[in-house]
Amino acid sequence: MPSSTITPDLIAEHGLTPDEYQKILSILGREPSLEELGVFSVMWSEHCSYKNSRPELRKFPTTGEKVLVKAGEENAGVIDVGDGWAVCFKIESHNHPSAIEPFQGAATGVGGIIRDIFTMGARPAFLLDSLRFGTIEGDSVQARTNRRLLAGVTAGISHYGNCIGVPTIGGEIYFDASYNGNPLVNVFCLGTLRHEQIARGAAKGVGNPVFYVGAETGRDGLAGAAFASRELTEESKADRPAVQVGDPFREKLLLEACLELLASGCVAGIQDMGAAGLTCSTCETASRGGTGVEIDLDLVPKRAADLTPYEILLSESQERMLVIVNEGQEAPVKKIFEKWELPYALIGRVTDDGMMRVRKGKDVVVEIPARALADDAPLYSREAAPWTAPAPLDLTSLPCADVQSTLLLLLAHPSIASKHWVWRQYDYMVQNSTVVPPGSDAAVFYLREADKFLAATSDCNAIYCSLDPKEGAKAAVAEAARNLACSGATSIGLTDNLNFGNPHKPESFYQLRAAVEGISEGCLAFDIPVTGGNVSLYNESQHSSIDPTPTVAVVGLIDDRAHITTSYFKEAGDVIFLLGNLGDELGGSHYLLVSQGRKEGLPPRIDFEHEKKINNQLLTLIRADLVRSAHDCSEGGLAVTISESCFKKSKDAPLLGASISLGKTGLRPDVALFNESSGRIIFSTPAAKADHVEKILSDSGNPFHRLGVVTEAPELSIEADGVKYEWNTRTLHHTWSTALPHMMQVG
Amino acid sequence: MRVAVLQFPGSNCDNDCLVALRSFPDVTAELVWHQETSAEGFDVIILPGGFSYGDYLRCGAIARFSPIMKAVQQAADQGKLILGICNGFQILCEAGFLPGTLIRNRKLLFRCESVILRVEENATPFTNKCTPGQLLRLPIAHGEGCYTADEKTLKELEEHHQILFRYCDDQGELTTAANPNGSMENIAGICNRQRNIIGLMPHPERACEALLGGIDGRFIFQSMLDWKVKSEE
Amino acid sequence: MKARVTIMPQAAVLDPAGVATAQAIGHLGISGVRSVRIGKSIDLDIDGMTKEQLHQICRDLLSNPVIEDYQLEILS
Amino acid sequence: MKARVTIMPQAAVLDPAGVATAQAIGHLGISGVRSVRIGKSIDLDIDGMTKEQLHQICRDLLSNPVIEDYQLEILS
Ligand SMILES: Nc1ncnc2c1ncn2[C@@H]1O[C@H](COP(=O)(O)OP(=O)(O)O)[C@@H](O)[C@H]1O
Ligand SMILES: [Mg+2]
């Protein structure tokens, strides 16, 4: 063991506290080597160990009849979808790398989550991307930077996803000043597999050979996991490691090779090298297998000859896997690697002593009990500052904005405007299975081999979360479930990405805790298991934290292709209903933001009993073939929702109009048209069936309103309390569809 | 009809082609790995879309050196049908089977959407089920689909009726707005002078199923099938 | 031995990236750019290869003679 | 005035296109390529611009300093 002097400075540089260092000493019974210190530092970073968030994450409901692999057990959870088929999905963040280098940061984010999925034995089927940027309007340096970030991130996702051939079929984007300098890039991937194909990331079978396959190791993203667990500062931008560059072509080969390998039956365990690369994959496989692993760094394929052991261990080069092969079956495995022209090497063996042992030739540079390293990371219960509820909005001091022009302002707000500029850069059709492409409430994907239809959506309104983290998190789950219901689907599983600021700040930690509680409450109410997720803390820059952003992605199943529903009105004469109440909550609304520049008040309250009733009611109607279109009501309220339903599905479809009457509401017009109360759905039904639908709804006791009809003329008219507001839907559509491209043209 | 769908490292529409082809009765379709040196026994060879070799260097530049390309040459010489879709079109141009080349979209961004094509020629094995001037709606998904050739080549293409598809608006007009990538003369697909090799940027295999929004791609595959049956009579 | 190959689009060929870059320079507030052309620069680290072989690589693989011209320099 | 900017990926940064191209040259049946790095070559045709402005363009627009290095040559 080479001796090294581990100074307090060195310990601090590795982001370890004196207490954590004491724990290392007691695990090892001696002073660590520099390499060992590096290994502990990445394994015990928040990114790998969840040391600040794990106690909170335990609150998630993770079980269910259909759960085949639970959250936290493996790289991603697995859910049964029937007939021997299963889906495996997860969401991951790549926020900090994208802040530094948007194109490569986003690209490698896509690569990373795809690897997580095929490591499980699943064939990646589709992606969603949930993005947050600072404001992009105007000529300020900040706005230019944010536009560059948006363009770069979009191009990076497009580059990686399109090349590897996994369609990006949905996502969301919001813009808010709180993300200035710290954009969020969360990518979701879903894969499909047969039950018997579930692969494990465990080093099973003492004596089994351990193979390294994929790209050669370089100095990329050295200690990136530790980097992700720190705040971004100007200095951290300066002393950053070599930026990771994604190679979607290599990953495509790796993906095909791994699926072929797993099908061959020669594999005892498999693990991708993600954050903390070789270090994390060796110690996690050993820990899961209850075994040890011994590898020799001299055998690792390298891009630069002069890499030190420390660098090899901590490198985050992309597109690499660790494969544990059944002894004696090396030959067919090598043949597969060679067919796909991938660099590979036999770098070690599974042992029985529970150690993660790393040699450089004859010298042992790391020798750490694997289980202690992987599972005994320190856990912290951080201090949470009690939250003070914001003052409720005082309508009397709030002037009523001009309704007519405000709808246009809302439709032009980049968070509400069409994201077509973004998603047409994604190949959302490759794999020939996208039934509902981006643009509707949820994307629908045809699982051809299984003859099943999946729907997926991602949601989070961070304004709500910043005003009331728990209620905001509940709203995210409610919206996702409602989006799925509007598409004809029942929710089957949820994965979350918890994006927050520094957990050492009590208010940030409170937000994390409250968000977990809110998501849990929603999952229990809807009976959706949490199948896994990702935590990204330290999202701060310049002066403040980001708005808390607990993004959820929810997957649903549609029981019959006839029940696939989209948000666009289909035919003039169809009758339009509102399922739910008219609502009256303006707190945290985009109306307030757009007309007053304010993020204030209490966000909409969530009543899960009501949410469930509404969703079930809609699904019952869809299954009875009574629904032509359904669209959930969210940012911008009723007026925006109805406008969007008038917009067309494709460029040659006609633009329709709608004639709506809200009747006597007793509300101010701005409240009636733009409030964002939850649990509301706008749907349309053929005229001949409208009375029947009305009868069903009356009998059900669910709140509803028969609002009006879809019109041939491209005009939207909304009457409320005797006053009629009118717009040309061509104007509305033009405003909505050109807002983002116009902003992005400025350069 | 026996169809070989070539699989280069980085192809990603290979399976989509298989699925589309298998929806036709009397078609058998198989993947053929790029390291193979023979395509004996196949009537049709398809070079599918994707990113062969990551599209590194230039789209299609590396794939054209794959061993299977010798077999493509042989099949072409025997008058068999060769269809290059998207990346396959790029490979055929790089390999010199078709004139000209495909460069970066004029507006520089990748574009995925559905476009309208005007069928310019129907006296070919690939378009005989279409009427001249017929409009087809097909998806595109590419970043480098701007067809470019020198003037002499363009003239020859016209003279020999080798331009099979052009981008147009829903009235059949060849407008700039309807051209998604800035290709010369709104060209979307061409064939060789012998009319047995075709390349096009749009994806017919993505438009063979009503569930996915359109079936106009079936005209192209059905044309090939009919041609095959007729040529055997 | 090291060689550098410079590949530029032929004068008659449209170079949209070059045009966009020229515009972007204007947006930076710097005037005086007449035109921009974007090509590739490729560095090869080679060992025991004839000049003829190098030219073959340039012709057959690295450049596309339909739209590009190349220039080969032996650096060391 | 004409200037040429050569932009290459930094030494420590992965160059996937270079790696694939090096392999492809092997497939061509030509051995002896140790490595290939692919960058950009940009020709500017300019008029009345200071060297400082040119460097600014290289830094802020043409190259990505996070992963690339540039070299500026005044040709005429
Ligand atoms: N980054 C993105 N990538 C792909 N699709 C997106 C993206 N952002 C938004 N979309 C799509 O645009 C549509 C509208 O998004 P959004 O307004 O968030 O929907 P909702 O409010 O119903 O959740 C959805 O179909 C969504 O998938
Ligand atoms: Mg939304």
Side-chain angles (χ1 to χ4, degrees):
Chain A
M1 184 88 29
S3 70
S4 59
T5 11
I6 305 293
T7 63
D9 278 354
L10 197 58
I11 296 166
E13 264 170 46
H14 280 79
L16 293 161
T17 65
D19 282 351
E20 288 171 344
Y21 185 66
Q22 284 309 313
K23 191 160 178 181
I24 293 171
L25 290 181
S26 78
I27 287 173
L28 293 179
R30 61 177 163 77
E31 183 172 275
S33 64
L34 175 65
E35 290 80 8
E36 287 170 333
L37 190 71
V39 165
F40 273 106
S41 130
V42 290
M43 286 306 295
W44 287 5
S45 69
E46 174 62 29
H47 193 87
C48 291
S49 73
Y50 294 97
K51 62 186 170 190
N52 293 299
S53 50
R54 195 176 335 199
E56 302 303 320
L57 302 181
R58 289 193 181 125
K59 296 175 186 163
F60 282 137
T62 56
T63 53
E65 246 176 86
K66 306 278 188 209
V67 178
L68 300 179
V69 174
K70 263 181 40 173
E73 234 175 83
E74 293 281 345
N75 292 292
V78 180
I79 300 273
D80 180 15
V81 293
D83 304 329
W85 287 94
V87 295
C88 164
F89 56 85
K90 193 177 171 199
I91 191 167
E92 268 281 355
S93 63
H94 230 212
N95 303 339
H96 286 183
S98 304
I100 301 283
E101 207 327 88
F103 182 93
Q104 295 297 346
T108 50
V110 172
I113 189 64
I114 291 178
R115 271 195 308 285
D116 266 330
I117 297 306
F118 69 77
T119 303
M120 294 298 300
R123 176 168 284 279
F126 64 81
L127 301 162
L128 307 175
D129 61 330
S130 168
L131 313 175
R132 301 291 183 280
F133 299 94
T135 43
I136 56 168
E137 295 136 294
D139 214 28
S140 65
V141 174
Q142 192 64 262
R144 278 165 186 272
T145 306
N146 292 330
R147 287 199 288 269
R148 192 182 54 82
L149 288 170
L150 170 60
V153 165
T154 304
I157 293 170
S158 157
H159 164 69
Y160 209 104
N162 297 358
C163 180
I164 196 167
V166 180
T168 305
I169 64 172
E172 49 168 355
I173 311 181
Y174 288 84
F175 300 88
D176 187 280
S178 87
Y179 305 107
N180 282 340
N182 195 131
L184 301 185
V185 176
N186 294 177
V187 188
F188 163 101
C189 183
L190 177 142
T192 62
L193 70 171
R194 301 277 313 159
H195 289 186
E196 64 275 13
Q197 287 171 335
I198 298 173
R200 300 288 176 169
K204 288 272 167 61
V206 173
N208 274 344
V210 174
F211 281 88
Y212 169 115
V213 58
E216 293 90 348
T217 297
R219 282 195 180 85
D220 319 84
L222 272 182
F227 179 62
S229 307
R230 251 187 273 140
E231 290 171 33
L232 283 180
T233 60
E234 278 313 308
E235 297 85 80
S236 73
K237 286 184 188 176
D239 71 11
R240 68 192 146 228
V243 165
Q244 304 159 18
V245 169
D247 185 350
F249 168 60
R250 269 283 174 81
E251 178 136 314
K252 169 74 174 161
L253 302 185
L254 194 58
L255 151 65
E256 298 298 341
C258 286
L259 292 179
E260 201 170 316
L261 271 177
L262 289 166
S264 74
C266 301
V267 173
I270 185 164
Q271 174 72 43
D272 68 306
M273 293 188 214
L278 199 51
T279 293
C280 191
S281 55
T282 44
C283 92
E284 279 190 355
T285 46
S287 165
R288 285 203 198 101
T291 53
V293 167
E294 177 169 329
I295 59 170
D296 182 350
L297 298 181
D298 279 346
L299 304 174
V300 168
K302 297 175 204 64
R303 213 160 74 225
D306 59 347
L307 287 175
T308 65
Y310 181 90
E311 289 174 318
I312 300 170
L313 277 167
L314 301 195
S315 158
E316 294 195 351
S317 292
Q318 302 285 301
E319 291 94 21
R320 304 180 296 165
M321 304 286 271
L322 200 68
V323 183
I324 294 135
V325 173
N326 297 322
E327 202 171 358
Q329 297 182 321
E330 292 88 342
V333 165
K334 289 181 184 176
K335 220 173 132 204
I336 293 171
F337 292 151
E338 279 156 18
K339 168 181 170 189
W340 293 100
E341 295 188 31
L342 290 163
Y344 70 91
L346 172 60
I347 61 167
R349 299 255 163 210
V350 177
T351 64
D352 61 1
D353 61 3
M355 287 295 190
M356 168 189 179
R357 188 175 301 106
V358 178
R359 293 176 183 281
K360 173 155 191 343
K362 288 209 179 69
D363 300 333
V364 173
V365 290
V366 170
E367 193 169 34
I368 306 176
R371 178 150 285 164
L373 181 58
D375 301 341
D376 293 349
L379 286 185
Y380 299 106
S381 187
R382 297 280 173 206
E383 187 195 336
W387 166 75
T388 38
L393 271 191
D394 175 15
L395 273 188
T396 54
S397 68
L398 181 77
C400 180
D402 172 49
V403 163
Q404 203 78 33
S405 56
T406 303
L407 177 55
L408 289 162
L409 286 178
L410 280 165
L411 291 171
H413 188 278
S415 295
I416 292 178
S418 170
K419 310 300 186 297
H420 184 229
W421 183 88
V422 169
W423 53 258
R424 85 167 183 192
Q425 296 180 52
Y426 303 149
D427 188 347
Y428 54 83
M429 297 186 270
V430 63
Q431 298 208 2
N432 244 353
S433 301
T434 307
V435 182
V436 178
S440 194
D441 278 359
V444 178
F445 188 88
Y446 183 36
L447 263 188
R448 196 174 289 277
E449 309 93 319
D451 193 25
K452 295 193 184 294
F453 293 87
L454 294 171
T457 177
S458 73
D459 289 283
C460 178
N461 180 321
I463 297 182
Y464 298 170
C465 297
S466 71
L467 296 170
D468 181 342
K470 183 161 176 191
E471 221 45 38
K474 284 162 66 179
V477 180
E479 181 173 351
R482 194 162 55 244
N483 279 331
L484 292 182
C486 287
S487 308
T490 323
S491 307
I492 58 170
L494 175 148
T495 173
D496 64 275
N497 208 326
L498 304 174
N499 304 279
F500 292 93
N502 184 343
H504 296 269
K505 297 186 181 158
E507 60 278 23
S508 287
F509 193 72
Y510 171 81
Q511 293 169 340
L512 170 69
R513 172 175 293 169
V516 170
E517 287 168 4
I519 291 173
S520 300
E521 205 176 296
C523 287
L524 285 172
F526 289 115
D527 195 19
I528 319 174
V530 174
T531 65
N534 177 248
V535 178
S536 171
L537 306 180
Y538 305 93
N539 287 293
E540 327 220 330
S541 64
Q542 291 140 359
H543 323 291
S544 61
S545 311
I546 59 162
D547 279 351
T549 313
T551 300
V552 301
V554 182
V555 177
L557 203 52
I558 302 175
D559 44 22
D560 187 320
R561 69 174 66 193
H563 303 160
I564 299 168
T565 308
T566 56
S567 56
Y568 320 96
F569 291 145
K570 301 294 178 314
E571 218 166 292
D574 285 358
V575 174
I576 303 167
F577 285 88
L578 162 66
L579 184 53
N581 298 301
L582 281 178
D584 60 2
E585 293 155 291
L586 275 189
S589 67
H590 270 66
Y591 165 72
L592 212 55
L593 187 70
V594 162
S595 67
Q596 317 277 337
R598 284 153 66 176
K599 299 202 292 191
E600 285 176 16
L602 280 168
R605 307 283 95 189
I606 306 298
D607 170 359
F608 282 120
E609 277 317 303
H610 169 75
E611 300 282 343
K612 263 170 32 186
K613 277 193 203 143
I614 296 294
N615 292 354
N616 289 337
Q617 179 67 72
L618 181 72
L619 285 170
T620 309
L621 294 173
I622 288 176
R623 289 173 187 144
D625 195 23
L626 296 169
V627 175
R628 277 249 170 86
S629 74
H631 190 15
D632 103 280
C633 197
S634 56
E635 289 85 16
L638 267 188
V640 164
T641 308
I642 296 171
S643 305
E644 286 174 347
S645 286
C646 292
F647 299 161
K648 47 201 182 160
K649 182 175 166 196
S650 58
K651 47 179 189 220
D652 46 314
L655 257 185
L656 294 165
S659 171
I660 301 287
S661 167
L662 301 183
K664 272 199 68 65
T665 68
L667 299 169
R668 257 168 54 168
D670 56 346
V671 179
L673 268 67
F674 305 126
N675 84 75
E676 295 184 5
S677 284
S678 186
R680 299 184 298 160
I681 293 166
I682 294 289
F683 74 91
S684 64
T685 207
K689 296 176 176 173
D691 290 343
H692 180 42
V693 168
E694 189 168 347
K695 169 106 183 26
I696 295 177
L697 292 176
S698 301
D699 293 348
S700 74
N702 286 319
F704 78 96
H705 298 262
R706 184 164 171 163
L707 294 183
V709 291
V710 178
T711 62
E712 184 93 59
E715 271 149 31
L716 170 63
S717 75
I718 304 182
E719 179 272 329
D721 301 289
V723 185
K724 199 166 181 181
Y725 305 93
E726 285 179 305
W727 299 267
N728 185 313
T729 47
R730 287 211 191 91
T731 314
L732 298 178
H733 181 260
H734 182 78
T735 303
W736 174 80
S737 58
T738 57
L740 199 54
H742 279 169
M743 286 173 203
M744 293 308 290
Q745 239 161 38
V746 186
Chain B
M1 185 168 78
R2 293 199 63 217
V3 184
V5 177
L6 305 189
Q7 202 182 21
F8 298 94
S11 294
N12 65 29
C13 302
D14 40 351
N15 271 301
D16 297 359
C17 283
L18 283 192
V19 168
L21 288 162
R22 287 174 181 164
S23 72
F24 290 84
D26 308 322
V27 172
T28 56
E30 271 173 54
L31 294 178
V32 174
W33 184 236
H34 76 121
Q35 292 287 7
E36 298 291 326
T37 48
S38 153
E40 280 304 314
F42 292 101
D43 308 304
V44 174
I45 296 178
I46 295 184
L47 291 85
F51 289 69
S52 58
Y53 292 93
D55 275 358
Y56 295 139
L57 198 58
R58 278 186 321 282
C59 305
I62 300 182
R64 83 162 170 109
F65 294 105
S66 283
I68 192 66
M69 291 305 285
K70 291 216 176 67
V72 173
Q73 180 71 62
Q74 270 171 11
D77 293 344
Q78 293 164 3
K80 293 185 174 168
L81 300 188
I82 318 284
L83 165 62
I85 303 168
C86 198
N87 194 231
F89 186 11
Q90 294 163 339
I91 297 171
L92 289 176
C93 286
E94 278 285 337
F97 286 95
L98 293 171
T101 192
L102 295 142
I103 63 170
R104 208 143 157 220
N105 294 352
R106 190 78 61 93
K107 296 239 174 83
L108 302 172
L109 298 178
F110 189 97
R111 276 178 76 160
C112 177
E113 66 197 5
S114 116
V115 297
I116 307 175
L117 302 184
R118 192 172 80 190
V119 179
E120 304 289 273
E121 302 288 338
N122 71 342
T124 80
F126 308 94
T127 52
N128 57 65
K129 295 297 284 181
C130 306
T131 50
Q134 181 176 346
L135 304 189
L136 300 180
R137 173 165 286 286
L138 294 182
I140 57 160
H142 60 249
E144 310 193 23
C146 175
Y147 184 78
T148 301
D150 59 26
E151 243 160 72
K152 180 165 160 281
T153 306
L154 284 177
K155 218 166 132 232
E156 284 172 4
L157 286 174
E158 294 275 7
E159 271 169 22
H160 296 95
H161 303 279
Q162 288 169 254
I163 300 171
L164 304 192
F165 305 107
R166 296 186 207 255
Y167 303 108
C168 66
D169 66 13
D170 55 4
Q171 303 301 309
E173 297 300 323
L174 306 178
T175 61
T176 307
N179 184 341
N181 51 37
S183 66
M184 289 182 166
E185 317 281 340
N186 279 35
I187 288 173
I190 58 169
C191 69
N192 63 342
R193 215 173 279 184
Q194 293 71 34
R195 303 178 106 59
N196 66 325
I197 304 180
I198 178 189
L200 77 170
M201 286 315 294
H203 288 268
E205 82 282 10
R206 294 188 186 185
C208 285
E209 206 174 352
L211 175 71
L212 305 180
I215 55 165
D216 284 359
R218 299 188 76 84
F219 281 101
I220 293 173
F221 295 117
Q222 193 64 52
S223 295
M224 293 161 72
L225 261 167
D226 283 17
W227 181 86
K228 169 78 171 68
V229 171
K230 281 214 194 83
S231 68
E232 277 169 1
E233 274 165 9
Chain C
M1 192 169 77
K2 292 201 192 303
R4 168 163 290 181
V5 185
T6 307
I7 299 169
M8 296 304 291
Q10 290 166 6
V13 172
L14 192 79
D15 173 20
V19 173
T21 304
Q23 270 172 4
I25 295 175
H27 286 311
L28 263 183
I30 301 178
S31 61
V33 174
R34 283 215 213 86
S35 83
V36 178
R37 306 283 292 170
I38 303 186
K40 290 194 194 91
S41 168
I42 305 184
D43 285 356
L44 302 166
D45 183 356
I46 43 189
D47 183 28
M49 197 177 277
T50 65
K51 198 145 179 192
E52 193 28 58
Q53 279 179 314
L54 265 174
H55 276 292
Q56 188 200 335
I57 293 173
C58 292
R59 243 187 353 252
D60 292 355
L61 180 70
L62 301 185
S63 75
N64 178 350
V66 175
I67 44 166
E68 297 167 330
D69 294 323
Y70 76 86
Q71 224 185 320
L72 172 66
E73 253 174 300
I74 307 289
L75 297 182
S76 66
Chain D
M1 193 169 77
K2 292 202 191 302
R4 169 162 289 181
V5 184
T6 307
I7 298 169
M8 296 302 292
Q10 287 168 9
V13 168
L14 175 71
D15 171 23
V19 173
T21 303
Q23 266 186 0
I25 295 175
H27 291 318
L28 264 180
I30 302 179
S31 61
V33 173
R34 284 214 212 87
S35 85
V36 177
R37 308 280 292 170
I38 303 186
K40 286 196 203 98
S41 169
I42 304 183
D43 283 357
L44 303 167
D45 184 356
I46 43 186
D47 183 26
M49 198 180 279
T50 65
K51 198 144 182 193
E52 194 26 60
Q53 281 179 314
L54 264 174
H55 275 291
Q56 190 200 336
I57 293 173
C58 291
R59 244 187 352 251
D60 293 356
L61 193 73
L62 301 183
S63 76
N64 178 351
V66 175
I67 47 176
E68 296 168 333
D69 294 325
Y70 76 87
Q71 227 186 319
L72 172 65
E73 252 174 302
I74 308 289
L75 297 182
S76 65

